Short mmCIF file of all heavy atoms in Angstrom, two decimals:
data_model
loop_
_atom_site.label_atom_id
_atom_site.label_comp_id
_atom_site.label_asym_id
_atom_site.label_seq_id
_atom_site.Cartn_x
_atom_site.Cartn_y
_atom_site.Cartn_z
N SER A 260 30.21 -4.74 71.97
CA SER A 260 31.57 -5.27 71.86
C SER A 260 32.33 -4.45 70.85
O SER A 260 31.79 -3.58 70.18
CB SER A 260 31.53 -6.74 71.42
OG SER A 260 30.94 -6.85 70.15
N ASN A 261 33.64 -4.74 70.69
CA ASN A 261 34.46 -4.05 69.71
C ASN A 261 34.03 -4.42 68.31
O ASN A 261 33.50 -5.49 68.07
CB ASN A 261 35.94 -4.39 69.92
CG ASN A 261 36.44 -3.89 71.27
OD1 ASN A 261 35.94 -2.89 71.77
ND2 ASN A 261 37.40 -4.60 71.85
N MET A 262 34.29 -3.56 67.36
CA MET A 262 33.88 -3.77 65.97
C MET A 262 34.87 -4.71 65.29
O MET A 262 36.07 -4.55 65.42
CB MET A 262 33.84 -2.45 65.21
CG MET A 262 32.93 -1.40 65.86
SD MET A 262 31.29 -2.05 66.07
CE MET A 262 30.93 -2.43 64.38
N ASP A 263 34.34 -5.73 64.58
CA ASP A 263 35.15 -6.66 63.79
C ASP A 263 34.89 -6.37 62.32
O ASP A 263 33.74 -6.42 61.88
CB ASP A 263 34.79 -8.12 64.11
CG ASP A 263 35.13 -8.48 65.54
OD1 ASP A 263 36.08 -7.87 66.06
OD2 ASP A 263 34.42 -9.34 66.10
N TYR A 264 35.94 -6.09 61.60
CA TYR A 264 35.83 -5.73 60.19
C TYR A 264 36.26 -6.92 59.34
O TYR A 264 37.34 -7.46 59.52
CB TYR A 264 36.71 -4.52 59.87
CG TYR A 264 36.30 -3.28 60.64
CD1 TYR A 264 37.00 -2.92 61.78
CD2 TYR A 264 35.22 -2.52 60.23
CE1 TYR A 264 36.63 -1.80 62.50
CE2 TYR A 264 34.84 -1.39 60.95
CZ TYR A 264 35.54 -1.03 62.08
OH TYR A 264 35.17 0.06 62.79
N VAL A 265 35.38 -7.31 58.46
CA VAL A 265 35.68 -8.40 57.53
C VAL A 265 35.75 -7.78 56.14
O VAL A 265 34.73 -7.50 55.54
CB VAL A 265 34.61 -9.51 57.58
CG1 VAL A 265 34.98 -10.63 56.63
CG2 VAL A 265 34.46 -10.02 58.99
N GLY A 266 36.93 -7.53 55.63
CA GLY A 266 37.09 -6.88 54.33
C GLY A 266 36.79 -7.81 53.18
O GLY A 266 36.93 -9.03 53.29
N SER A 267 36.35 -7.24 52.12
CA SER A 267 36.09 -8.04 50.92
C SER A 267 37.36 -8.39 50.17
O SER A 267 37.34 -9.22 49.27
CB SER A 267 35.16 -7.28 49.97
OG SER A 267 35.77 -6.07 49.55
N ASN A 268 38.50 -7.75 50.57
CA ASN A 268 39.75 -8.05 49.87
C ASN A 268 40.18 -9.50 50.06
O ASN A 268 40.68 -10.15 49.14
CB ASN A 268 40.86 -7.12 50.35
CG ASN A 268 40.62 -5.68 49.93
OD1 ASN A 268 39.90 -5.44 48.97
ND2 ASN A 268 41.19 -4.74 50.65
N SER A 269 39.98 -10.04 51.29
CA SER A 269 40.39 -11.43 51.54
C SER A 269 39.56 -12.39 50.72
O SER A 269 40.08 -13.35 50.14
CB SER A 269 40.25 -11.74 53.03
OG SER A 269 38.90 -11.55 53.45
N SER A 270 38.23 -12.16 50.67
CA SER A 270 37.38 -13.06 49.87
C SER A 270 37.70 -12.94 48.39
O SER A 270 37.72 -13.94 47.66
CB SER A 270 35.91 -12.73 50.12
OG SER A 270 35.63 -11.38 49.75
N MET A 271 37.97 -11.72 47.95
CA MET A 271 38.34 -11.54 46.54
C MET A 271 39.66 -12.22 46.23
O MET A 271 39.83 -12.83 45.16
CB MET A 271 38.42 -10.04 46.20
CG MET A 271 37.08 -9.33 46.22
SD MET A 271 37.24 -7.57 45.91
CE MET A 271 37.93 -7.61 44.27
N ALA A 272 40.61 -12.16 47.18
CA ALA A 272 41.90 -12.82 46.96
C ALA A 272 41.73 -14.33 46.88
O ALA A 272 42.35 -15.01 46.06
CB ALA A 272 42.88 -12.45 48.07
N ALA A 273 40.84 -14.87 47.77
CA ALA A 273 40.60 -16.31 47.73
C ALA A 273 39.95 -16.73 46.42
O ALA A 273 40.30 -17.75 45.82
CB ALA A 273 39.72 -16.72 48.91
N GLU A 274 39.00 -15.92 45.95
CA GLU A 274 38.35 -16.23 44.67
C GLU A 274 39.34 -16.15 43.51
O GLU A 274 39.31 -16.98 42.60
CB GLU A 274 37.19 -15.26 44.43
CG GLU A 274 36.03 -15.45 45.40
CD GLU A 274 34.92 -14.44 45.17
OE1 GLU A 274 35.10 -13.59 44.26
OE2 GLU A 274 33.91 -14.49 45.89
N GLU A 275 40.23 -15.16 43.57
CA GLU A 275 41.23 -15.04 42.50
C GLU A 275 42.19 -16.23 42.52
O GLU A 275 42.58 -16.75 41.46
CB GLU A 275 42.02 -13.73 42.67
CG GLU A 275 41.22 -12.48 42.35
CD GLU A 275 40.87 -12.39 40.88
OE1 GLU A 275 41.60 -12.98 40.06
OE2 GLU A 275 39.86 -11.75 40.54
N ALA A 276 42.58 -16.68 43.73
CA ALA A 276 43.47 -17.84 43.82
C ALA A 276 42.80 -19.09 43.29
O ALA A 276 43.41 -19.87 42.54
CB ALA A 276 43.91 -18.05 45.27
N THR A 277 41.52 -19.28 43.65
CA THR A 277 40.79 -20.44 43.15
C THR A 277 40.64 -20.39 41.65
O THR A 277 40.81 -21.39 40.94
CB THR A 277 39.40 -20.51 43.81
OG1 THR A 277 39.56 -20.52 45.23
CG2 THR A 277 38.66 -21.77 43.38
N ARG A 278 40.34 -19.20 41.15
CA ARG A 278 40.20 -19.05 39.71
C ARG A 278 41.53 -19.29 38.99
O ARG A 278 41.57 -19.89 37.92
CB ARG A 278 39.68 -17.65 39.38
CG ARG A 278 39.30 -17.45 37.91
CD ARG A 278 38.79 -16.04 37.64
NE ARG A 278 37.57 -15.77 38.38
CZ ARG A 278 37.49 -14.94 39.41
NH1 ARG A 278 38.58 -14.30 39.84
NH2 ARG A 278 36.35 -14.74 40.02
#
Side-chain angles (χ1 to χ4, degrees):
S260 62
N261 296 330
M262 304 304 302
D263 295 331
Y264 298 100
V265 182
S267 62
N268 292 337
S269 59
S270 60
M271 292 177 62
E274 292 177 359
E275 289 293 335
T277 305
R278 189 180 297 109

